[in-house]
Amino acid sequence: MPDNTLTVLDSVSRFLERQHGLYIDGQWRGSAADGRLAVYNPANGQQIASTADANEHDVALAVQSAHRAFSEGVWAQRLPAERERILLRYADLVEQHAEELAQLETLEQGKSINIARAFEVGSTLNWMRYTAGLATKITGQTLDVSIPMPPGAKYQVYTRKEPLGVVAGIVPWNFPLMIGMWKVMPALAAGCSIVIKPSETTPLTLLRMAELATEAGIPPGVFNVVTGRGTVCGKALTQHPLIAKVSFTGSTPVGKSIARAAADRLTRVTLELGGKNPAIVLKDADPQQVVEGLMLGSFLNQGQVCAASSRIYIEAPIYDQLVAGFEQAVKSLSVGPGMDAGAQINPLVSRDHRNKVAAYLDDARAKNAELIVGSAGPDANGFYIPPTLVINPDDRLDLTREEVFGPVVNLIRVADAEEALSKANDTDYGLTASLWTTSLQKAMAMTPRIQAGTVWVNTHTLIDANMPFGGFKQSGSGRDFGPDWLDAYTETKSVCIRY
């Protein structure tokens, strides 16, 4: 097999060699804490950089900087068209540095350079430009009212949208650049300031994005980045009294703790949490389309996708045919480092996460589950898990109900569509789902009965900036994306004028 491993750009090497601090008030500054957090290359387990491990004092400085910038109106009071122009300039700068950002993302997160280029940078640019355009489309309403007193008085009422204030963004490690911009861009388009905390595992691309934001003309204090552990840095950020809104993407248990803390101060919260996402395959589905679509929907980014299909319910008449198709596909996947453009499955993000996913598979083997396993990948101290199919898993297995967040997919035989629907909805989660059928009638009849925030038909996982996204049940609250995205970053003010 040819060696397709990329050469690291000089700009990437120089960035990795820096003594990374915190980005506060438009400049780099050291942390008040002495500790450092190592950043590892998942492909080989070697340290490639380190970042500051911010404490409560560091977080307070960042929040104060953001609050000062908001209060002084250096961003919020600019003309909407000017905010739009600067944010579009920001997107242009990101595009100019696309390969640098993609390589940084692959080196710290482990994903394929192809995915880093296409999703982390390419799709992020679409979201950035879409959201920049929303800055000039914030609207209120004029309302007729029936206030009866004093006699003869007339009133005119209108509403206006005003930015909330300082936003705290907490970003996970699976798509650090893209999900980070899903928090930064709507906050800035609405006129807010933001303090963002990337995962301690994958902090590098957002630190670079902060520099590019300043270069684009975003004023000091409007976009701040603090790095550190969630238990200290993240907790201090989400609980700071000057934070007006928290946007969190991550696990359901952590999301619940953030919601509880926010409730004490009535802080606005958007939560995009976990999922145990089903796919329902009806007997009339196109087998080739199912295998191709659900291989992408299940194994994109090694299954480290909140929307990934992890439970596939297949009607009995085509079950054996599809299991054979999935087996052939899984065993054909090449496994290797993300910087090898030819590798289709890459390492997981960290040693701890690799061990967590391996524990689910160990539990399945101990309980005599039938596993179909693909290539194990290179033996180079990397954080690899082979792509795995679990055939008709028993309900006693941990991986049947818990979010594995790895390259592990359950294939379950069902008698009919009703059994599939019942099993698909039998979960505490409700983030995404998909239905596979060639019958328009079945698609239209079944999609309203599936309990998920997003339901795809004959596709899975793929999303768009103009398509609202969020979960039912314990998969979160609130919605991102779409034309109403900025509503979550603004307050509605009613103005009543007597004349």
Side-chain angles (χ1 to χ4, degrees):
M1 179 179 291
D3 184 1
N4 297 313
T5 304
L6 297 175
T7 300
V8 176
L9 294 174
D10 289 342
S11 59
V12 172
S13 297
R14 290 193 298 270
F15 189 81
L16 294 176
E17 291 167 359
R18 291 192 198 175
Q19 185 78 357
H20 296 288
L22 310 172
Y23 202 81
I24 299 174
D25 212 26
Q27 60 187 328
W28 294 106
R29 61 176 301 142
S31 170
D34 294 330
R36 304 284 298 173
L37 295 172
V39 180
Y40 297 95
N41 181 350
N44 55 27
Q46 296 179 3
Q47 181 176 339
I48 56 173
S50 71
T51 57
D53 187 10
N55 61 16
E56 294 88 346
H57 176 74
D58 297 319
V59 170
L61 288 178
V63 175
Q64 289 162 9
S65 171
H67 187 260
R68 181 169 57 253
F70 181 77
S71 299
E72 293 174 355
V74 297
W75 181 249
Q77 294 178 21
R78 292 200 179 192
L79 294 176
E82 186 177 1
R83 290 204 305 270
E84 180 185 44
R85 282 195 298 271
I86 292 173
L87 293 176
L88 288 172
R89 189 184 310 144
Y90 185 23
D92 291 342
L93 278 172
V94 170
E95 188 167 30
Q96 292 170 27
H97 293 269
E99 181 64 14
E100 173 190 339
L101 289 163
Q103 289 195 15
L104 277 174
E105 194 72 348
T106 290
L107 289 170
E108 69 172 347
Q109 202 277 339
K111 63 168 52 75
S112 168
I113 188 64
N114 303 317
I115 299 300
R117 288 167 176 162
F119 286 87
E120 292 282 19
V121 181
S123 291
T124 295
L125 287 169
N126 292 338
W127 260 277
M128 292 181 75
R129 288 168 174 145
Y130 176 90
T131 319
L134 295 180
T136 56
K137 298 165 186 68
I138 300 171
T139 61
Q141 296 177 299
T142 58
L143 304 168
D144 288 332
V145 295
S146 302
I147 300 173
M149 60 184 70
K154 295 183 178 180
Y155 296 88
Q156 178 65 58
V157 172
Y158 66 91
T159 63
R160 52 179 285 113
K161 298 285 189 178
E162 298 182 354
L164 280 170
V166 180
V167 175
I170 308 293
V171 181
W173 46 254
N174 57 335
F175 288 95
L177 173 56
M178 185 163 64
I179 296 178
M181 289 299 102
W182 290 350
K183 302 182 187 310
V184 170
M185 291 299 294
L188 299 191
C192 299
S193 299
I194 190 165
V195 180
I196 198 155
K197 190 199 91 66
S199 166
E200 54 266 46
T201 308
T202 54
L204 299 178
T205 44
L206 280 180
L207 291 172
R208 184 70 181 104
M209 291 293 285
E211 289 185 317
L212 294 176
T214 299
E215 186 177 342
I218 294 171
V222 174
F223 180 6
N224 307 272
V225 182
V226 290
T227 57
R229 290 166 291 158
T231 52
V232 178
C233 178
K235 182 178 180 180
L237 178 57
T238 57
Q239 296 184 7
H240 196 285
L242 293 179
I243 294 296
K245 174 186 172 63
V246 177
S247 177
F248 171 81
T249 301
S251 72
T252 296
V254 176
K256 288 180 178 179
S257 69
I258 289 174
R260 283 191 291 268
D264 288 339
R265 302 188 317 278
L266 297 180
T267 302
R268 306 296 187 268
V269 178
T270 299
L271 303 173
E272 198 269 277
L273 307 178
K276 188 69 176 172
N277 308 301
I280 297 174
V281 183
L282 302 185
K283 60 187 177 184
D284 65 359
D286 179 339
Q288 181 177 352
Q289 186 182 51
V290 170
V291 172
E292 291 177 354
L294 286 177
M295 286 296 293
L296 175 65
S298 302
F299 293 105
L300 177 69
N301 197 27
Q302 294 61 254
Q304 298 169 125
V305 181
C306 60
S309 47
S310 59
R311 300 179 289 144
I312 302 177
Y313 298 101
I314 306 170
E315 281 198 283
I318 62 170
Y319 180 80
D320 292 337
Q321 178 185 0
L322 284 181
V323 169
F326 280 114
E327 178 176 6
Q328 181 180 7
V330 163
K331 289 186 175 179
S332 71
L333 293 174
S334 59
V335 181
M339 290 293 279
D340 179 350
Q344 297 165 299
I345 292 289
N346 313 112
L348 300 188
V349 69
S350 68
R351 180 176 284 105
D352 285 347
H353 189 59
R354 188 270 314 272
N355 293 343
K356 177 182 176 183
V357 175
Y360 282 109
L361 295 175
D362 290 342
D363 173 71
R365 291 188 183 94
K367 294 173 181 173
N368 299 315
E370 181 184 353
L371 305 182
I372 296 174
V373 181
S375 173
D379 182 16
N381 298 315
F383 310 141
Y384 293 94
I385 288 285
T388 303
L389 303 173
V390 188
I391 307 303
N392 278 319
D394 191 283
D395 287 342
R396 297 175 302 155
L397 302 184
D398 293 338
L399 56 75
T400 61
R401 303 195 69 83
E402 298 178 17
E403 185 179 33
V404 177
F405 221 63
V408 179
V409 181
N410 302 339
L411 302 181
I412 304 109
R413 183 196 302 266
V414 292
D416 52 33
E418 287 301 316
E419 182 185 2
L421 187 64
S422 175
K423 289 181 178 292
N425 288 338
D426 183 21
T427 175
D428 292 334
Y429 297 108
L431 187 58
T432 72
S434 62
L435 176 67
W436 299 77
T437 179
T438 55
S439 168
L440 176 61
Q441 181 179 13
K442 291 177 182 177
M444 297 302 292
M446 288 188 67
T447 50
R449 300 175 64 196
I450 298 173
Q451 297 169 5
T454 298
V455 179
W456 291 280
V457 177
N458 296 328
T459 186
H460 196 113
T461 300
L462 302 177
I463 55 179
D464 185 82
N466 203 36
M467 176 176 156
F469 186 81
F472 286 14
K473 298 189 277 191
Q474 294 194 36
S475 286
S477 62
R479 292 294 181 270
D480 288 317
F481 317 156
D484 301 323
W485 196 359
L486 300 195
D487 287 354
Y489 294 83
T490 59
E491 290 280 22
T492 299
K493 177 181 287 184
S494 295
V495 180
C496 180
I497 302 173
R498 177 185 172 185
Y499 62 98

